[in-house]
Amino acid sequence: MISQSVVVPVGGESLAGDVMVPASARAVVLFAHGSGSSRHSPRNRMVAEHLRTAGLGTVLMDLLTEREDREDAWTREHRFNIPLLGSRVAAVIDWLEEQSDTRGLPVVLFGASTGAAAALVAAAERPDRVLTVVSRGGRPDLAGDALPRVQAPVLLIVGGRDQEVLRLNQEAARRLGVAHSLRVVPGATHLFEEPGALEEVADAAREWCEDHLG
């Protein structure tokens, strides 16, 4: 297992991240956080740990710099800047291709909340590098015109009690021109805090990745 903290240069800024790659990893999962979250998100870290048991590497990145994060805490101006977040996810995909431990590995994008929109934008920008996209309680509708340009298959996971987000996911799914699946976790709310809900998300993500890795 290769485990390291990294700093990725992106457009004159620096983004902090944590990379863990098991020996003989079959793919690497890049997490795109949203709505004021960061690489320290306990929910994404739990899912990442689950995916590593399936032989997948994980990359948890901050998509905002420390300065931007402080600004966003007051203004919330950056967390909804999908073009900015999407461009940074794409830049991290490029960086992964330059690293000896992840070069050539298929990339899975795992987006939560607004991070799902950023992941879909990046998938549209890097069609040759992205194997698939998984969204957890995401806002794929915010990807806008990028949705019909996505070429990778998409898994949308939504809580059954997260009714407005479920509606938005259903509308976004109709705009996708690729294979996709909408998985509803019964009884779960937006953060999947109910007992067993997040485990169901992790299982669904793992199975989806394994299916597309063949």
Side-chain angles (χ1 to χ4, degrees):
M1 174 77 71
I2 296 169
S3 177
Q4 58 183 330
S5 296
V6 299
V7 176
V8 179
V10 174
E13 303 285 0
S14 296
L15 304 179
D18 297 321
V19 178
M20 297 187 73
V21 182
S24 303
R26 296 183 293 158
V28 59
V29 184
L30 170 56
F31 285 77
H33 315 289
S35 300
S37 188
S38 73
R39 71 186 191 280
H40 301 297
S41 162
R43 287 175 290 277
N44 279 349
R45 285 190 170 271
M46 179 271 177
V47 174
E49 182 178 358
H50 192 77
L51 294 176
R52 285 194 296 271
T53 66
L56 303 175
T58 59
V59 181
L60 293 105
M61 295 294 308
D62 288 341
L63 297 182
L64 299 179
T65 66
E66 291 184 4
R67 173 184 57 79
E68 291 167 341
D69 193 51
R70 289 194 299 270
E71 293 173 351
D72 190 72
W74 288 95
T75 66
R76 301 193 171 206
E77 65 176 305
H78 299 304
R79 68 184 65 184
F80 293 107
N81 189 340
I82 304 303
L84 171 67
L85 300 178
S87 69
R88 289 185 172 175
V89 174
V92 177
I93 293 173
D94 294 341
W95 178 84
L96 287 170
E97 184 61 17
E98 298 171 354
Q99 310 308 305
S100 59
D101 300 321
T102 51
R103 183 181 301 121
L105 289 178
V107 176
V108 175
L109 298 180
F110 187 103
S113 190
T114 52
L120 288 162
V121 168
E125 294 294 326
R126 300 292 186 273
D128 296 335
R129 293 286 294 121
V130 177
L131 174 71
T132 186
V133 180
V134 178
S135 165
R136 172 181 65 80
R139 290 291 307 276
D141 55 297
L142 295 178
D145 293 340
L147 276 173
R149 295 192 290 113
V150 174
Q151 297 183 29
V154 178
L155 173 63
L156 304 168
I157 308 174
V158 187
R161 292 169 59 194
D162 195 6
Q163 295 184 358
E164 178 61 16
V165 171
L166 176 57
R167 181 185 67 80
L168 293 170
N169 274 253
Q170 291 168 333
E171 291 179 357
R174 288 192 284 270
R175 299 190 61 201
L176 289 168
V178 292
H180 59 274
S181 177
L182 177 61
R183 174 77 173 265
V184 179
V185 179
T189 51
H190 186 61
L191 296 180
F192 298 90
E193 295 175 306
E194 294 72 23
L198 196 56
E199 286 78 5
E200 189 166 341
V201 170
D203 286 340
R206 184 192 63 200
E207 292 168 5
W208 180 263
C209 292
E210 290 177 340
D211 287 346
H212 288 88
L213 281 166

